[in-house]
């Protein structure tokens, strides 16, 4: 029995097929590496050859290294999605179930086996999100532990998501931010920790400001230059998450 005949026998007639643009994921990986590699080398070179006498040098190096790490994160996530899905990845909506396949083969599940459907409440629709496939995200959890990920690189992704919701009325609906409700007040604790670390860095640097420049190592200067932006971002992020949790938590 052929693969198509087997899937038809198990899950009924095919209603629609949604192909995944795996090529776009590899293209995103390539351009992200083009950004990450040279900026990473530049940041490392600047970090190792930094001169203590240059004001603002630590912040500039932090920006370059941050850019490199951000591009590297994009490259890794895009490559991981491409490898996870496989070449020529696709989804099929059938009468009695969902099929996910690639050149490695195809597997199907009956609709009743979908345990939860996670869809963010506020999808990002700007140009970069579309390019990375983040303008639409849907994650399906199945009863055997399998996780299926549908994103903007899937043709007709929103239609596929609606079909899954319609066929799985008993599946738990999630938005992906439920962890914020569990974290609650820990956000404020995190903000306090970041603030304390930042104050400690400033206090240490100020207490050694009157010493000879030779006694203040480049490592200390870099720690302050890189640590303060990280602490500031950490404080802002934790406070924003806490406020958002307080505003949107269930009453």
């Amino acid at each position: 029995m052929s693969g198509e005949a087997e899937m038809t026998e198990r899950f009924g007639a095919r209603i629609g097929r949604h192909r995944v643009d795996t090529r776009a994921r590899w293209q995103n990986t390539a351009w992200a590496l083009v950004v990450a590699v040279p900026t990473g080398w530049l940041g490392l070179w600047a970090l190792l050859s930094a001169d203590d006498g240059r004001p603002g040098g630590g912040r500039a190096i932090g920006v370059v290294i941050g850019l490199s790490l951000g591009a590297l994160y994009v490259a890794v996530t895009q490559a991981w999605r491409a490898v996870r899905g496989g070449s020529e990845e696709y989804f099929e909506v059938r009468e009695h179930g969902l099929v996910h396949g690639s050149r490695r083969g195809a597997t199907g599940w009956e609709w009743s086996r979908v345990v939860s459907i996670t869809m963010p409440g506020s999808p990002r629709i700007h140009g970069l999100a579309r390019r990375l496939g983040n303008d639409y995200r849907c994650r399906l959890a199945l009863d055997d532990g399998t996780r299926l990920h549908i994103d903007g690189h899937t043709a007709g992704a929103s239609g596929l998501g609606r079909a899954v919701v319609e066929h799985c009325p008993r599946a738990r609906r999630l938005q992906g931010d439920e962890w914020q409700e569990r974290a609650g007040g820990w956000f404020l604790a995190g903000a306090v920790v970041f603030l304390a670390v930042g104050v400690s860095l400033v206090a240490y640097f100020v207490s050694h400001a009157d010493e000879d420049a030779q006694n203040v190592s480049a490592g200390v200067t870099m720690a302050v230059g890189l640590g303060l932006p990280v602490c500031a971002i950490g404080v802002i992020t934790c406070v924003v998450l806490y406020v958002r949790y307080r505003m949107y938590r269930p009453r």
Side-chain angles (χ1 to χ4, degrees), residues 186-188 190-191 194 233-243:
W186 286 102
F187 291 133
L188 285 184
F194 278 114
I233 293 173
V235 171
I236 295 172
T237 301
C238 289
V239 171
V240 168
L241 288 175
Y242 178 77
V243 172

Side-chain angles (χ1 to χ4, degrees), residues 151-211:
D151 62 17
H153 286 141
T154 305
S158 59
L160 174 58
R162 286 193 299 270
V164 173
V165 171
E166 292 173 0
H167 285 89
C168 306
R170 297 185 179 180
R172 185 183 180 191
R173 292 294 304 276
L174 303 172
Q175 291 190 343
D177 57 358
E178 287 74 15
W179 62 273
Q180 296 184 20
E181 182 178 352
R182 296 192 298 270
W186 286 102
F187 291 133
L188 285 184
V192 171
V193 170
F194 278 114
L195 182 61
V197 173
V199 171
S200 298
L201 289 174
V202 173
Y204 180 86
F205 190 74
V206 171
S207 65
H208 291 74
D210 56 348
E211 297 183 6

Side-chain angles (χ1 to χ4, degrees), residues 53-106:
R54 292 181 299 179
R59 291 191 295 272
I61 295 174
V63 171
V64 173
I65 293 179
L67 176 62
S68 176
L69 292 177
L72 183 60
Y73 173 79
V74 170
V76 170
T77 54
Q78 291 290 302
W80 169 243
R81 291 180 190 177
V83 172
R84 179 186 60 199
S87 177
E88 299 181 10
E89 182 184 10
Y90 65 88
F91 292 89
E92 286 183 352
V93 176
R94 292 182 175 265
E95 289 180 312
H96 308 304
L98 179 69
V99 174
H100 175 246
S102 66
R103 295 187 66 178
R104 296 194 293 252

Side-chain angles (χ1 to χ4, degrees), residues 108-175:
W109 300 266
E110 295 178 353
W111 293 118
S112 60
R113 299 184 60 184
V114 178
V115 177
S116 67
I117 305 171
T118 302
M119 290 184 178
S122 301
R124 291 165 286 184
I125 57 175
H126 53 78
L128 182 59
R130 292 192 184 95
R131 177 66 188 179
L132 298 179
N134 293 331
D135 53 326
Y136 183 87
R137 303 299 302 276
C138 177
R139 184 171 67 252
L140 309 179
L142 302 162
D143 60 2
D144 60 358
T146 301
R147 297 290 188 271
L148 297 179
H149 300 262
I150 304 169
D151 62 17
H153 286 141
T154 305
S158 59
L160 174 58
R162 286 193 299 270
V164 173
V165 171
E166 292 173 0
H167 285 89
C168 306
R170 297 185 179 180
R172 185 183 180 191
R173 292 294 304 276
L174 303 172
Q175 291 190 343

Side-chain angles (χ1 to χ4, degrees), residues 222-236:
M222 289 300 99
V224 175
L226 297 176
L228 286 181
V230 171
C231 291
I233 293 173
V235 171
I236 295 172

